[in-house]
Amino acid sequence: MIEYAAIRSDFDQNILNEGYLFWLPMIYLKYKSGFRKHTYLFDGFIAPKLGKLDLYVILLRNPKQVSIVSGSDLPIGEVTLQPLKTGEEIINDLKSFRNELSDKLSETYDKLSISDAKMAFASMLWFVSPGDIKDYDVESQYYNMLMIATNLLDKIGIKKKSNINIIEEKTIYYPILIHSDKETIYEPALKTEKSESLSALISLPEVRKLIFTEIL
């Protein structure tokens, strides 16, 4: 028997029939971090295949938001991917990523502090070059992005020096549907409208190449 996230009954059948569907192996992990227990679905293929640890955060899903069922086979679709990493390996990757984020946050904060001083001094002289403003905006956005990723990892119990014990692990197959326009992605087990995060993800050259060259 295999377990998978069932496609919603109210999902548009026309989109389903015309699109490209594959089943992404998500690693279901129930684990304890400190005194708290957590249960999440972690990508077991795309992030490990590309070696991009940030994709673990983008593809993180809550199993409580989908209907997980079991059967002898998957209901539709021809492509079923297999996980490339175990739960323990994924947790180790996330802990490494959390440490990297801490280092990058410190580096970016130092740059922002310098930019703050530069901007304050420049404003007193009534002189701020467009390049300075642009650079400052980029650094600010990058810092905010790092903060969001760090806070999310903290929320799911992946903290610096945290002791994580896996209680339960299994593979859940999660349907990913690419619209016939090859630009829009749906998560038919989660919601009926398009997935903004995954539609943005497919615009990345390495992700697009992986999906259309090696998966579909």
Side-chain angles (χ1 to χ4, degrees):
M1 300 291 283
I2 60 176
E3 293 187 82
Y4 59 92
I7 295 173
R8 293 169 56 109
S9 60
D10 58 347
F11 191 82
D12 191 323
Q13 194 66 39
N14 291 326
I15 296 177
L16 191 62
N17 292 337
E18 296 172 3
Y20 309 86
L21 186 138
F22 65 91
W23 293 89
L24 181 70
M26 301 286 273
I27 306 303
Y28 173 103
L29 289 181
K30 182 180 290 186
Y31 57 95
K32 189 173 182 181
S33 176
F35 296 102
R36 294 193 61 186
K37 291 181 180 179
H38 302 268
T39 305
Y40 289 101
L41 295 173
F42 296 94
D43 166 39
F45 185 86
I46 297 177
K49 182 73 173 181
L50 295 176
K52 290 179 64 64
L53 304 185
D54 54 332
L55 295 185
Y56 282 124
V57 177
I58 297 173
L59 293 167
L60 177 71
R61 295 295 181 266
N62 187 338
K64 295 179 181 179
Q65 295 180 339
V66 298
S67 175
I68 297 176
V69 297
S70 60
S72 57
D73 198 3
L74 296 169
I76 61 172
E78 298 179 356
V79 180
T80 306
L81 305 173
Q82 298 305 317
L84 299 179
K85 289 201 173 183
T86 65
E88 183 178 358
E89 289 172 328
I90 290 173
I91 291 295
N92 288 336
D93 280 348
L94 287 168
K95 291 171 72 173
S96 297
F97 184 46
R98 178 63 180 79
N99 291 333
E100 289 177 16
L101 284 173
S102 295
D103 294 338
K104 289 179 180 178
L105 273 172
S106 298
E107 294 172 6
T108 308
Y109 181 79
D110 290 341
K111 290 180 181 178
L112 277 175
S113 298
I114 295 172
S115 296
D116 280 334
K118 181 171 63 178
M119 291 290 284
F121 181 70
S123 65
M124 291 174 62
L125 299 176
W126 293 92
F127 173 75
V128 180
S129 72
D132 286 341
I133 295 176
K134 182 178 179 181
D135 291 342
Y136 181 76
D137 285 344
V138 170
E139 290 292 348
S140 297
Q141 291 172 10
Y142 181 60
Y143 183 79
N144 289 336
M145 183 180 68
L146 293 176
M147 281 296 297
I148 291 171
T150 301
N151 290 338
L152 179 57
L153 288 176
D154 285 349
K155 182 180 178 180
I156 67 172
I158 311 296
K159 302 180 180 180
K160 290 191 69 174
K161 300 179 181 179
S162 56
N163 185 25
I164 298 174
N165 296 308
I166 296 175
I167 301 171
E168 182 182 357
E169 174 180 350
K170 57 186 176 181
T171 300
I172 304 293
Y173 291 96
Y174 189 82
I176 301 293
L177 179 69
I178 301 175
H179 191 273
S180 55
D181 64 9
K182 297 186 178 181
E183 301 291 339
T184 307
I185 297 187
Y186 293 89
E187 299 178 64
L190 180 64
K191 53 188 178 181
T192 57
E193 64 271 18
K194 81 171 187 178
S195 171
E196 297 291 347
S197 61
L198 297 192
S199 295
L201 186 64
I202 200 175
S203 66
L204 298 177
E206 58 267 50
V207 176
R208 193 173 186 82
K209 180 180 179 182
L210 174 65
I211 291 176
F212 288 108
T213 303
E214 300 187 40
I215 296 178
L216 299 179

